[in-house]
Amino acid sequence: MATSPSASSRAGPVLARRIAVGGALALLAGAMGGTTPVRATPERRGPAAGLSAAPVGVVRAVTDAGELVLEDGRRIRLAALHLPCAADLPQDTGPEEAARLTALAAAARDALRAWAVGWSVVPWTPRLDRDRYGRVLAQVVVGQDRPVWLQAALIAAGLARVETMPGVEAGAARLLRLEAVARRHRRGLWRDPLYQPRAPDATWPWIGTFQIVRGTVRAAAKVRSRVYLNFGADWRRDFTVRVDRPSAAGFRTADLLDLTDQYVQVRGWLYPTNGPMINLDHPTALETRVILE
């Protein structure tokens, strides 16, 4: 397995990383029901369909924001992943909650550094391969002999949540299944109430944060070019999901309107428009077959 040029003088840290990656493989296999982790073989075309291999690189560092910095200067943002961070808490959070989040964030970054720094990686890029800051958006496979899909290992360990956006959905279906298993087994952040899925009537305190919300759609309505999914009797105050121009966002309007009385799960950033609202702009963020834990 390729390592950085100076790895021979760092046998101890490299051995520790080997152990960490081996542990990730075992954890990932368990989370997937004992199946073999996804390999980066030419036949599979990486960890999921719809991805393209970028040049191999060696990870020099992991930033506090969870970016991979490669020795060739590329900066990789882990696609479809939301690592614990300060932005997960409202401004009026107490010191106890802040301390718990700090510990969870540190655990996620420590694992990411142990599994990635000094190792060769293959970035597998989705349709949208750069963000607005010029960072490479990628699903990342670590190593060559026993490759580990980095996002899957983090999700399976309960160290991150799935967060997708338009053009960066490749691989998300499998990650969502791994997330559901990790949540059911209360791994990592899923042991903490800070990260439990919210009921629609419990979303007000979490305005400005990324959340998973699950509940029953009480009414669905089309208003001009938008569809609204209302989760309460008072659309002026209760939680709502808004879909602008459904066809452009990848939805059929009729399918959205048929969600009345259905139990769904949606994820996204909460913002105040009348009541708390999530703007749904791609299908992966809406789950109509919810795995209850």
Side-chain angles (χ1 to χ4, degrees):
M1 185 176 294
T3 60
S4 62
S6 60
S8 60
S9 63
R10 295 187 286 119
V14 169
L15 178 59
R17 283 196 294 275
R18 286 184 191 275
I19 294 172
V21 172
L25 279 167
L27 182 61
L28 182 55
M32 296 174 68
T35 60
T36 303
V38 176
R39 306 292 186 179
T41 62
E43 293 78 17
R44 284 288 307 200
R45 293 299 300 165
L51 297 167
S52 302
V56 175
V58 175
V59 179
R60 186 182 73 223
V62 174
T63 70
D64 289 341
E67 300 172 16
L68 306 185
V69 182
L70 305 190
E71 290 186 346
D72 60 15
R74 282 179 292 168
R75 301 176 76 90
I76 297 177
R77 176 181 169 185
L78 297 176
L81 203 72
H82 185 103
L83 292 165
C85 63
D88 292 345
L89 294 178
Q91 292 184 348
D92 58 353
T93 300
E96 179 184 344
E97 290 84 359
R100 291 185 350 239
L101 182 137
T102 298
L104 290 168
R109 270 65 175 183
D110 288 347
L112 186 53
R113 290 181 174 112
W115 294 343
V117 173
W119 289 91
S120 63
V121 299
V122 181
W124 290 85
T125 58
R127 179 165 54 87
L128 178 64
D129 62 355
R130 297 267 177 174
D131 68 8
R132 59 180 175 174
Y133 302 107
R135 296 173 296 190
V136 177
L137 289 164
Q139 299 286 345
V140 176
V141 172
V142 181
Q144 297 171 0
D145 298 331
R146 300 185 66 198
V148 173
W149 181 7
L150 193 54
Q151 277 94 329
L154 289 163
I155 292 290
L159 294 172
R161 293 175 289 171
V162 178
E163 180 188 0
T164 55
M165 62 184 185
V168 194
E169 301 173 79
R174 199 159 198 177
L175 294 177
L176 287 168
R177 291 194 294 270
L178 289 172
E179 181 190 87
V181 172
R183 190 163 51 241
R184 184 166 66 246
H185 291 283
R186 297 175 60 80
R187 294 181 185 140
L189 58 81
W190 300 114
R191 291 193 296 268
D192 197 302
L194 294 171
Y195 286 99
Q196 295 307 305
R198 309 289 167 206
D201 60 0
T203 50
W204 266 114
W206 299 93
I207 292 292
T209 65
F210 176 80
Q211 294 295 323
I212 299 171
V213 182
R214 54 171 59 160
T216 300
V217 179
R218 299 303 178 189
K222 183 176 184 295
V223 181
R224 292 184 289 276
S225 62
R226 293 172 173 166
V227 170
Y228 293 89
L229 305 179
N230 299 309
F231 288 74
D234 184 359
W235 61 267
R236 295 175 182 82
R237 182 165 181 81
D238 294 329
F239 173 71
T240 303
V241 170
R242 188 180 80 189
V243 185
D244 296 331
R245 299 175 60 212
S247 60
F251 296 96
R252 291 181 67 247
T253 297
D255 292 340
L256 292 171
L257 296 177
D258 282 345
L259 292 177
T260 299
D261 295 328
Q262 289 198 39
Y263 191 82
V264 303
Q265 179 168 283
V266 63
R267 64 187 65 215
W269 291 85
L270 283 168
Y271 63 94
T273 299
N274 295 317
M277 179 176 284
I278 285 177
N279 187 30
L280 189 62
D281 57 6
H282 65 292
T284 305
L286 174 68
E287 297 167 76
T288 56
R289 292 185 176 89
V290 184
I291 301 174
L292 299 178
E293 299 83 24

